[in-house]
Amino acid sequence: MKRYLLVFFIGFNIAAVSQNRFHVNAATTLLGFPSLGYETPINKHFTFHIDALGSAFNSYNDMPLRFLIVTPEMRYYPKNEHKGFYVGAHLGGSTFKLQKYGYENSNYYQKGYNYMAGASIGYVYFVSEKIALEAFVGGGTVQSFYKGYDATTGERYEDAQKFNKSGEWLPYRGGISVILQL
């Protein structure tokens, strides 16, 4: 998890030189899952956006709830002002220690990592010269590699030699962001 944070902050500092946009996903942040992002123009129609979403909690219902998701994305704006409608393609990854869906009434949790590849659509509306609002959704394939543990004993509860693997098609991005134009 520390490596993902380091990569995000190094990328953020490099991108800060270009002086473009800082994003805060208000929807997830208010729910206790802070999400910060940065977007920089590449040319008149394309931008590069990177964001990180993490858990502000260490546990929920006596089970671990820790994760960090980092998602770099290329965005295409049909208008050349980098506002209005956009489509994006992304390839992201995460690290996690949490109780997956389907295990809510058990003593089991999972620890591992995954990668995600997919697309997003969104709309950026400028309220003023420096402040904008963004609504977006996205999803795609999620490929996970994890080990399952019993919370009482700390021992693995499954028989996989190395990692369990799962793959799903899911909606996994979305929210309403407040954007500060730098």
Side-chain angles (χ1 to χ4, degrees), residues 18-21 38-44 46-48 82:
S18 68
Q19 300 292 309
N20 203 355
R21 296 178 183 171
Y38 198 85
E39 186 174 10
T40 187
I42 295 173
N43 64 31
K44 66 182 185 176
F46 286 92
T47 64
F48 174 76
H82 302 123

Side-chain angles (χ1 to χ4, degrees), residues 137-151:
V137 295
T141 183
V142 179
Q143 302 298 314
S144 301
F145 306 88
Y146 60 92
K147 296 177 182 178
Y149 295 93
D150 185 309

Side-chain angles (χ1 to χ4, degrees), residues 162-174:
K162 293 186 180 181
F163 288 97
N164 280 307
K165 299 172 185 132
S166 67
E168 295 91 16
W169 288 89
L170 297 169
Y172 52 77
R173 292 177 55 77

Side-chain angles (χ1 to χ4, degrees), residues 3-23:
R3 281 183 259 156
Y4 286 109
L5 280 173
L6 180 63
V7 168
F8 176 75
F9 285 111
I10 288 171
F12 180 83
N13 286 327
I14 290 169
V17 174
S18 68
Q19 300 292 309
N20 203 355
R21 296 178 183 171
F22 178 69
H23 295 238

Side-chain angles (χ1 to χ4, degrees), residues 20-94:
N20 203 355
R21 296 178 183 171
F22 178 69
H23 295 238
V24 176
N25 188 333
T28 60
T29 301
L30 289 173
L31 293 173
F33 303 105
S35 177
L36 302 174
Y38 198 85
E39 186 174 10
T40 187
I42 295 173
N43 64 31
K44 66 182 185 176
H45 290 285
F46 286 92
T47 64
F48 174 76
H49 179 269
I50 186 166
D51 61 42
L53 169 70
S55 172
F57 311 104
N58 283 327
S59 65
Y60 178 76
N61 284 339
D62 297 322
M63 296 305 261
L65 179 59
R66 287 182 262 166
F67 65 89
L68 176 65
I69 303 170
V70 177
T71 310
E73 179 173 66
M74 294 295 295
R75 292 181 172 179
Y76 172 75
Y77 290 85
K79 294 183 176 183
N80 63 5
E81 298 91 13
H82 302 123
K83 63 183 178 182
F85 175 77
Y86 70 83
V87 294
H90 55 263
L91 180 63
S94 78

